[in-house]
Amino acid sequence: MGVITLTLISSGALASGSNPPLWVIATAGLAIGLGTYLGGWRIIRTMGKGLTEIESPQGFAAEASATTVILASSHLGFALSTTQVVSGAILGTGLGRRLAKVRWSVAGRMALAWLLTLPSAAAVGAVVAAVATTGTLGVAVTALVAIAAAGGLYAAGRRDPVHAGNVNDVPAPV
């Protein structure tokens, strides 16, 4: 919501100091809800079974420690990634339990993805900004490419679907 509101303010569509319009709040909420609906089971499987096998006590410990870190960070004004905090807490519960196996290959793939995310987002943002500033055609091309990319990612995710019936299955080692 902040980025969209900032864009609207910087383009002159909103006055400086304005709060996010209702449509921005609703759109952001819809996007988050849709993303959780479409990818949530896979994330639950990766966090609960992919990194390390956790049971209810470990899940409670991970959530309590992640909550503590997130609230302390927010109170001190530090920015953080909640996904990284929760992943670290889950890894910690795996390390703290006797005879638990931590799947470091999964943790390594997650860390690599996090390292690549910022420069990749910057590169995509630069290309999209260059194309979109060419006018209506640039915006249309950008929208079509984004829709095609989203469709491709959705189709790739449906090849091996994760749902309520198989979320607790241990994923095959990669």
Side-chain angles (χ1 to χ4, degrees):
M1 290 186 305
V3 172
I4 295 170
T5 303
L6 181 61
T7 302
L8 292 170
I9 291 171
S10 65
S11 70
L14 280 178
S16 180
S18 296
N19 289 326
L22 182 60
W23 70 266
V24 171
I25 296 169
T27 304
L30 179 65
I32 291 168
L34 189 60
T36 302
Y37 174 73
L38 294 175
W41 290 117
R42 191 170 300 275
I43 293 167
I44 290 168
R45 176 190 277 178
T46 300
M47 292 297 174
K49 299 287 184 181
L51 286 171
T52 186
E53 191 83 21
I54 63 171
E55 300 297 329
S56 296
Q58 291 80 33
F60 175 77
E63 288 299 320
S65 61
T67 299
T68 303
V69 169
I70 291 167
L71 290 176
S73 175
S74 297
H75 178 71
L76 296 171
F78 298 138
L80 54 72
S81 165
T82 56
T83 304
Q84 292 173 351
V85 171
V86 171
S87 300
I90 290 171
L91 282 172
T93 63
L95 291 171
R97 199 175 87 202
R98 293 182 68 203
L99 303 176
K101 284 196 271 184
V102 174
R103 294 176 188 89
W104 290 108
S105 62
V106 174
R109 285 196 326 264
M110 289 171 66
L112 181 62
W114 292 333
L115 287 174
L116 295 175
T117 298
L118 186 62
S120 299
V124 169
V127 170
V128 167
V131 172
T133 56
T134 61
T136 305
L137 179 62
V139 172
V141 167
T142 300
L144 290 174
V145 169
I147 291 168
L153 289 171
Y154 178 77
R158 295 294 101 198
R159 285 184 291 168
D160 183 22
V162 180
H163 47 76
N166 68 0
V167 71
N168 287 322
D169 296 347
V170 177
V174 178

